[in-house]
Amino acid sequence: MGPLRLGSVTDTPGNSVTTFSSSKGYGNLSPSTVGGRVFCVFFALFGIPLNLILLKRIGERMLSLVQRYAAFLGRKVGRQKSVKFISSLCALVTGLLLFFLLPPILFRGMEGWTYEEGFYYSFITLSTIGFGDYVIGRVPGKKYPEWYRNLVSLWILFGMAWLALVITLCTNLLENSRDFCLCCKKKEGEKVDQELIDITLNGHAPSPLTEAEDSESTSSKTESLESDRKCGE
């Protein structure tokens, strides 16, 4: 099997594995032999599912830490719901800063990109779209420090886990809102069906005034029964 085409600080075996198993696929690295392509097929069959499990575990651990911190503060303050909302909001803002708003500043200094280009690269990378139009470590003749490679690898790992967690939470929120709307529609449908039954039995639809009188009559009967019970005692 021939080697992968490597040529920069990000084109190392460890970073290549991270990029490949995360399914980004920039297109700047590719196997050049039949053996290498066959190996990539089998590696992807096991590497991508394992990477997804790892990202899920990391996201769950991050969410668990936020929930534990919110529960601890809620017991101290005495307002569970408010503290939970504020903690979730702080976690969201912290994730936006660490994975989307601050990295473009680093990329501007190391790669010479604008802030908008760095932000675009951050989203394309962490969302695993991976167009390949922007790839770090491609400035000709520039020597990149070792910490830069390691920092970017950690940023990709935790950033993908955080973004996957946010997408999952948004999906659950949309599904819950959809279920709530369906429940409301079901109640409205049951009310319409009941009105149709009343029209069929009585020959006319109950007016709001009639419904109010029925409600008052029911309440008065209940009060009279309560008073009779008390008198009997």
Side-chain angles (χ1 to χ4, degrees), residues 15 17 63 80 83-84 100-101 116-117 133 147 155 165 194 201 214 229:
N15 195 269
V17 171
L63 180 61
Q80 291 284 350
V83 172
K84 184 177 180 180
F100 285 102
L101 300 180
E116 292 78 10
E117 291 173 337
D133 48 352
W147 61 264
W155 169 73
L165 178 62
Q194 185 62 39
L201 295 177
D214 294 339
R229 186 175 61 81

Side-chain angles (χ1 to χ4, degrees), residues 4-187:
L4 296 174
R5 292 194 290 269
L6 307 177
S8 69
V9 66
T10 57
D11 297 338
T12 57
N15 195 269
S16 301
V17 171
T18 302
T19 302
F20 185 75
S21 60
S22 61
S23 73
K24 285 192 289 292
Y26 287 130
N28 60 310
L29 297 178
S30 60
S32 57
T33 64
V34 176
R37 292 164 187 165
V38 172
F39 171 79
C40 284
V41 170
F42 285 99
F43 180 80
L45 290 176
F46 296 95
I48 293 177
L50 291 175
N51 187 69
L52 293 176
I53 294 174
L54 175 62
L55 294 177
K56 182 176 181 294
R57 296 293 185 185
I58 294 176
E60 290 176 349
R61 183 58 59 89
M62 294 167 65
L63 180 61
S64 177
L65 291 176
V66 173
Q67 291 176 344
R68 289 181 182 178
Y69 182 72
F72 174 76
L73 289 181
R75 288 192 297 268
K76 292 292 184 180
V77 178
R79 295 181 178 180
Q80 291 284 350
K81 293 184 178 180
S82 300
V83 172
K84 184 177 180 180
F85 175 77
I86 295 174
S87 300
S88 301
L89 185 61
C90 291
L92 179 62
V93 173
T94 303
L96 288 173
L97 287 173
L98 292 178
F99 302 119
F100 285 102
L101 300 180
L102 294 180
I105 299 176
L106 175 65
F107 297 143
R108 183 173 60 181
M110 300 297 295
E111 306 293 338
W113 298 339
T114 63
Y115 185 86
E116 292 78 10
E117 291 173 337
F119 183 85
Y120 168 78
Y121 169 78
S122 300
F123 180 79
I124 294 300
T125 298
L126 298 184
S127 61
T128 70
I129 297 174
F131 286 130
D133 48 352
Y134 286 90
V135 181
I136 62 173
R138 292 292 176 176
V139 179
K142 184 172 183 178
K143 184 178 181 181
Y144 294 89
E146 288 294 327
W147 61 264
Y148 183 56
R149 174 192 61 194
N150 300 328
L151 183 62
V152 170
S153 298
L154 291 176
W155 169 73
I156 292 175
L157 182 63
F158 287 94
M160 288 177 60
W162 177 84
L163 187 59
L165 178 62
V166 171
I167 293 174
T168 301
L169 293 177
C170 293
T171 303
N172 294 335
L173 180 62
L174 291 176
E175 290 178 351
N176 293 334
S177 63
R178 179 177 176 273
D179 294 339
F180 177 76
C181 294
L182 291 176
C183 182
C184 293
K185 289 181 180 179
K186 183 178 180 181
K187 290 181 179 179

